[in-house]
Amino acid sequence: MQELKPYALMSLDERATWNHRAAQLMEKIGGGFASALALAYFRADGTNQARILGAFGDLFDLYRNRAFKELEHEEQARQALAAQQ
């Protein structure tokens, strides 16, 4: 099973992608605060996104890891379907 690369080792593009996925998941399944924070992140410019990540990086880490696991489960399901055909 693969692991999500440590945030510090990700390229800028990878960070942007995973932060976006984390925010999508925060908006979808997070509580009221996490959902509101995700919306703020989406509406923020790059400077303010960095400020949000600096203040709430632990919350984004949590949802980044969860988004990674969801993606991994989806890939496993696709492989299982392909094997059945």
Side-chain angles (χ1 to χ4, degrees):
M1 181 186 318
Q2 282 186 325
E3 284 193 28
L4 183 60
K5 188 187 307 184
Y7 190 72
L9 300 178
M10 290 181 186
S11 69
L12 291 177
D13 285 342
E14 288 172 321
R15 287 182 185 188
T17 297
W18 283 107
N19 288 334
H20 188 82
R21 287 181 177 171
Q24 286 177 319
L25 199 55
M26 289 166 67
E27 184 181 18
K28 181 180 173 183
I29 66 167
F33 181 77
S35 294
L37 191 59
L39 290 174
Y41 178 83
F42 289 135
R43 292 184 178 157
D45 61 12
T47 301
N48 285 317
Q49 283 181 342
R51 291 173 72 191
I52 290 169
L53 290 169
F56 302 101
D58 57 334
L59 191 58
F60 274 81
D61 286 342
L62 177 73
Y63 283 92
R64 250 193 313 273
N65 288 329
R66 195 155 178 185
F68 181 75
K69 287 177 185 170
E70 278 193 6
L71 193 64
E72 203 170 53
H73 289 296
E74 289 172 11
E75 181 60 30
Q76 289 172 355
R78 273 193 288 274
Q79 289 175 357
L81 265 173
Q84 288 176 356
Q85 295 177 351

